[in-house]
DNA sequence: CTTACACCTGTGCCTAAGGCATGGGTCAAG
DNA sequence: CTTGACCCATGCCTTAGGCACAGGTGTAAG
């Protein structure tokens, strides 16, 4: 199988396959006559795993860790459980953040409904936004 | 005001201020004796606008467009309304995606509760994930 | 055999919004 | 002058691929 063929079979893009190849997640055999990368059944299995993990929003780095463990013959399951737990917590945060953003956007649209458009003054760029930031603490970078 | 001072006053980081400076969103005066960047009141106002817009998840590129319009003396309000509308739609999508991911993660944790850890076989890397991808179509990159 | 042409391949550069490390400059106290 | 604390500008690094480019491959026609 060559890159596009594999990509189609796994319902992903050739660029994605190339990317995973480039960073060593999957290892093809170089065809000796034309230098094209050739992927076998085992690699397809591996790619399937990678894509499934990506579906759960595992980062590529995390997947690399899992595969590394598995390649040494060890169970990757505990690691997988840990990651999924962490990912769920992260998703919960993301969820809340999106909620807040949505509320904020809706409020903005609502508030602006009645306001006219104004040309910028020396003190204001767009009164829609600048009249808006009361009672809402900003957040410095407290990420995870 | 120098970079850190401005950053503290606006409750953001010096790196952020430097970034906006670097890409020309805000323009400081170079202090002639030490080469330090110095920011005035007008710039602080501008930065406030930028940060408020970022709170609404406007991209920096979008903000650049708004400021460019405003700098020419034109109303940026229609553009702002348009962006906020678009952003709201985008957020809605994001919201749904996060919901799906959360459901998927929760289901995974649930399903795995009863399953043991297994060493990888020749055909499987981690049975938790590989047994999981039934009845769930993958998605090729159909983004917006 | 050669030509034509569609499709395919590998490589390298690009992204968003800053974060971080480095090497040096500045300011006040002693 | 020297120490030390803090501050500054600059440049590289990050994700997960996307995209453009230049050239190779394969098949049909001549």
């Amino acid at each position: 199988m060559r890159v596009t063929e594999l990509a189609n079979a796994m319902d992903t893009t050739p660029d994605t396959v190339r990317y995973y190849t480039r960073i060593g997640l999957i290892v093809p055999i170089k065809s000796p006559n034309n230098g094209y990368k050739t992927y076998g059944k085992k690699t397809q299995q591996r790619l399937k795993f990678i894509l499934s993990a990506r579906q759960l929003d595992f980062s590529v780095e995390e997947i690399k860790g899992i595969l590394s463990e598995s390649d040494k013959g060890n169970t990757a399951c505990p690691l997988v459980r840990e990651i999924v737990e962490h990912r769920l917590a992260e998703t919960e945060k993301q969820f809340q953040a999106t909620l807040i953003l949505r509320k904020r956007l809706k409020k903005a649209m609502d508030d602006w409904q009645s306001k006219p458009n104004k040309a910028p003054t020396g003190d204001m760029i767009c009164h829609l936004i600048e009249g808006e930031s009361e009672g809402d603490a900003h957040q410095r970078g407290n990420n995870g």
Side-chain angles (χ1 to χ4, degrees), chain A:
Chain A
M1 292 183 114
R2 290 182 304 187
V3 53
T4 302
E5 197 178 351
L6 175 59
N8 288 341
M10 304 306 290
D11 202 15
T12 186
T13 72
D15 276 322
T16 298
V17 173
R18 287 202 194 93
Y19 174 60
Y20 295 157
T21 304
R22 199 180 319 182
I23 64 174
L25 271 195
I26 53 181
V27 181
I29 305 146
K30 278 227 172 195
S31 194
N33 41 345
N34 56 13
Y36 286 5
K37 281 145 184 158
T38 305
Y39 302 87
K41 203 76 189 247
K42 216 51 166 298
T43 300
Q44 183 173 355
Q45 185 71 24
R46 201 176 168 90
L47 177 57
K48 183 186 169 192
F49 173 82
I50 296 170
L51 292 173
S52 295
R54 290 288 299 136
Q55 288 277 313
L56 294 175
D57 208 34
F58 286 26
S59 78
V60 167
E61 204 57 31
E62 287 167 336
I63 294 171
K64 192 184 280 187
I66 295 168
L67 289 174
S68 157
E69 206 60 25
S70 151
D71 286 347
K72 285 185 287 191
N74 303 333
T75 325
C77 295
L79 182 52
V80 168
R81 290 181 203 273
E82 189 181 328
I83 291 171
V84 101
E85 211 155 331
H86 178 237
R87 194 57 37 193
L88 184 56
E90 210 65 22
T91 300
E92 208 63 40
K93 266 196 238 170
Q94 178 69 34
F95 183 74
Q96 295 303 327
T98 305
L99 269 182
I100 291 174
L101 178 59
R102 184 167 73 164
K103 201 167 69 181
R104 208 175 283 172
L105 285 168
K106 279 187 172 169
K107 178 172 178 337
M109 285 194 67
D110 226 46
D111 291 354
W112 298 354
Q113 204 83 35
S114 56
K115 292 190 188 175
N117 297 337
K118 280 191 196 163
T121 71
D123 298 342
M124 264 207 197
I125 291 153
C126 169
H127 70 122
L128 296 177
I129 283 185
E130 268 152 317
E132 207 48 50
S133 60
E134 331 269 326
D136 199 24
H138 296 218
Q139 205 111 355
R140 202 124 18 131
N142 60 341
N143 64 10

